[in-house]
Amino acid sequence: MLLDWAPDNDVDAEALAQDCGAMLARWRDVPMRQVDLAGLLGDLAALLRDHDLVLPPDVAMLLKVLLTLDSLGRALDPDFVTAAFVEPFAKRALRARWS
Protein backbone atom coordinates (compact mmCIF):
# COMPACT_ATOMS: atom_id res chain seq x y z
CA MET A 1 0.00 0.00 0.00
CA LEU A 2 1.45 3.32 -1.08
CA LEU A 3 -0.43 5.43 1.47
CA ASP A 4 -2.53 4.70 4.50
CA TRP A 5 -4.68 6.91 6.66
CA ALA A 6 -5.77 7.06 10.24
CA PRO A 7 -8.71 4.65 10.63
CA ASP A 8 -10.84 7.25 12.44
CA ASN A 9 -10.82 9.64 9.50
CA ASP A 10 -12.44 9.51 6.09
CA VAL A 11 -10.27 10.58 3.18
CA ASP A 12 -11.84 13.18 0.93
CA ALA A 13 -10.58 11.81 -2.39
CA GLU A 14 -11.67 14.88 -4.33
CA ALA A 15 -9.85 17.29 -2.02
CA LEU A 16 -6.79 15.03 -2.03
CA ALA A 17 -6.78 14.93 -5.84
CA GLN A 18 -7.08 18.74 -6.00
CA ASP A 19 -4.24 19.20 -3.51
CA CYS A 20 -2.06 16.70 -5.40
CA GLY A 21 -2.77 18.52 -8.65
CA ALA A 22 -1.88 21.85 -7.08
CA MET A 23 1.35 20.44 -5.71
CA LEU A 24 2.29 18.90 -9.07
CA ALA A 25 1.49 22.20 -10.80
CA ARG A 26 3.89 24.06 -8.49
CA TRP A 27 6.76 21.71 -9.30
CA ARG A 28 5.92 20.46 -12.83
CA ASP A 29 8.19 22.57 -15.02
CA VAL A 30 10.98 23.35 -12.59
CA PRO A 31 14.43 22.29 -13.85
CA MET A 32 16.41 20.20 -11.41
CA ARG A 33 18.90 22.96 -10.74
CA GLN A 34 16.04 25.08 -9.38
CA VAL A 35 14.22 22.39 -7.39
CA ASP A 36 14.33 22.96 -3.68
CA LEU A 37 14.02 19.33 -2.62
CA ALA A 38 13.50 20.30 1.00
CA GLY A 39 10.62 22.55 -0.10
CA LEU A 40 9.17 19.82 -2.29
CA LEU A 41 9.29 17.27 0.52
CA GLY A 42 7.89 19.90 2.88
CA ASP A 43 4.94 20.34 0.53
CA LEU A 44 4.50 16.57 0.39
CA ALA A 45 4.63 16.28 4.19
CA ALA A 46 2.03 19.05 4.53
CA LEU A 47 -0.24 17.36 1.99
CA LEU A 48 0.04 14.05 3.85
CA ARG A 49 -0.56 15.71 7.20
CA ASP A 50 -3.55 17.71 5.92
CA HIS A 51 -5.24 14.52 4.72
CA ASP A 52 -4.24 12.32 7.71
CA LEU A 53 -2.12 10.12 5.43
CA VAL A 54 1.01 8.26 6.48
CA LEU A 55 3.76 6.72 4.43
CA PRO A 56 4.74 3.12 5.04
CA PRO A 57 8.38 2.70 6.12
CA ASP A 58 9.51 1.40 2.72
CA VAL A 59 8.12 4.48 0.96
CA ALA A 60 9.73 6.75 3.55
CA MET A 61 13.02 4.96 2.83
CA LEU A 62 12.46 5.55 -0.88
CA LEU A 63 12.18 9.28 -0.19
CA LYS A 64 15.49 9.16 1.67
CA VAL A 65 17.04 7.46 -1.34
CA LEU A 66 15.60 10.16 -3.61
CA LEU A 67 17.20 12.81 -1.42
CA THR A 68 20.50 11.01 -1.76
CA LEU A 69 20.14 10.74 -5.53
CA ASP A 70 19.17 14.39 -5.84
CA SER A 71 22.78 15.54 -5.70
CA LEU A 72 23.75 12.94 -8.31
CA GLY A 73 20.95 14.08 -10.62
CA ARG A 74 22.01 17.69 -10.28
CA ALA A 75 25.57 16.75 -11.18
CA LEU A 76 24.57 14.71 -14.24
CA ASP A 77 21.84 16.92 -15.75
CA PRO A 78 20.77 20.05 -13.87
CA ASP A 79 18.13 20.84 -16.52
CA PHE A 80 16.28 17.53 -16.20
CA VAL A 81 12.67 18.18 -15.15
CA THR A 82 11.91 15.39 -12.71
CA ALA A 83 8.25 16.23 -12.11
CA ALA A 84 7.41 16.16 -15.82
CA PHE A 85 8.95 12.68 -16.04
CA VAL A 86 7.22 11.38 -12.90
CA GLU A 87 3.78 12.97 -13.42
CA PRO A 88 2.27 10.25 -15.68
CA PHE A 89 3.32 7.55 -13.20
CA ALA A 90 1.93 9.50 -10.25
CA LYS A 91 -1.40 10.07 -12.02
CA ARG A 92 -1.75 6.37 -12.82
CA ALA A 93 -0.90 5.42 -9.24
CA LEU A 94 -3.44 7.88 -7.83
CA ARG A 95 -6.16 6.74 -10.24
CA ALA A 96 -5.52 3.08 -9.42
CA ARG A 97 -5.52 3.78 -5.69
CA TRP A 98 -8.61 5.99 -5.49
CA SER A 99 -10.85 4.57 -8.20
Side-chain angles (χ1 to χ4, degrees), residues 3-85:
L3 293 172
D4 201 357
W5 59 89
D8 298 343
N9 299 327
D10 291 323
V11 173
D12 182 347
E14 186 174 322
L16 176 60
Q18 287 177 338
D19 288 350
C20 286
M23 184 178 149
L24 285 173
R26 278 193 301 276
W27 295 99
R28 176 178 299 134
D29 298 319
V30 179
M32 237 178 137
R33 75 175 65 194
Q34 296 174 356
V35 170
D36 170 21
L37 197 55
L40 173 65
L41 292 177
D43 285 355
L44 177 61
L47 183 134
L48 294 173
R49 186 177 49 253
D50 290 347
H51 293 279
D52 294 324
L53 298 169
V54 292
L55 292 174
D58 55 339
V59 176
M61 182 59 72
L62 175 63
L63 290 178
K64 288 182 181 182
V65 168
L66 290 174
L67 281 169
T68 302
L69 292 175
D70 177 59
S71 62
L72 178 62
R74 288 174 191 272
L76 293 175
D77 185 0
D79 293 321
F80 182 72
V81 181
T82 306
F85 179 78

